[in-house]
Amino acid sequence: MNKKIIISWLLVIIWMSIIFIFSNMDTNESNDKSKGTISQVIEDTVHTTNGMGITDKHPSNEKIDTIAEKLNVPFRKCMHASVYLILAILLISSLKTIGITNKKTIFLTVLLCFIYACTDEFHQTFVEGRTGQFSDVLIDTVGSIIGCGIHILFSIILIKIKDKKI
């Protein structure tokens, strides 16, 4: 078997495992991680802008926690879409290594991402404090469609570069 095929499918499996690990976190751990990430970005942004002399005020920890709480749900939904965007790009590459054509590749990628999102949400119904939500399946699927669009766009750009039309 070709090394490229093995590596590309191994990356898909690793990425699906990462999604599974995040879905396996209980609600408190999951929320703490996302709020912690948001708070860290706010802190880093404040320190970066302070170093450039843009702002002199540092928000209190209470203010940062309030902002993190408000941004938590939108951030989590964006992460849903983002992880499936990446999964879609990995799947497209893997499907192409086994000779599946472009139109079939896109269809299969979205279908496989949708199915995996359904199983992922079902899995979450067994995790303490988590629920499976079909709206998350739809967000995941939209992320995979965006990933397909990005892949198509970059493919077109690469073809034009090769043909020296850009």
Side-chain angles (χ1 to χ4, degrees), residues 74-139:
F75 174 75
R76 292 170 67 84
K77 300 307 175 187
C78 286
M79 291 311 299
H80 263 271
S82 298
V83 296
Y84 278 83
L85 180 152
I86 294 167
L87 179 59
I89 291 171
L90 292 172
L91 273 170
I92 290 170
S93 297
S94 296
L95 290 168
K96 285 185 173 187
T97 64
I98 58 174
I100 297 179
T101 62
N102 282 338
K103 288 182 183 178
K104 286 182 183 176
T105 301
I106 299 302
F107 174 76
L108 280 173
T109 295
V110 174
L111 179 64
L112 290 171
C113 285
F114 173 78
I115 291 169
Y116 192 68
C118 288
T119 62
D120 184 49
E121 290 302 313
F122 178 69
H123 160 247
Q124 285 184 34
T125 64
F126 298 100
V127 177
E128 186 178 336
R130 302 287 294 266
T131 59
Q133 297 179 358
F134 189 70
S135 60
D136 285 346
V137 171
L138 296 177
I139 291 167

Side-chain angles (χ1 to χ4, degrees), residues 64-82:
I64 291 173
D65 290 344
T66 301
I67 294 168
E69 184 70 39
K70 287 180 181 179
L71 292 177
N72 189 41
V73 171
F75 174 75
R76 292 170 67 84
K77 300 307 175 187
C78 286
M79 291 311 299
H80 263 271
S82 298

Side-chain angles (χ1 to χ4, degrees), residues 17-32:
S17 299
I18 289 169
I19 292 171
F20 181 86
I21 290 166
F22 279 116
S23 294
N24 206 40
M25 290 180 189
D26 69 35
T27 192
N28 292 329
E29 183 181 6
S30 181
N31 274 317
D32 289 347

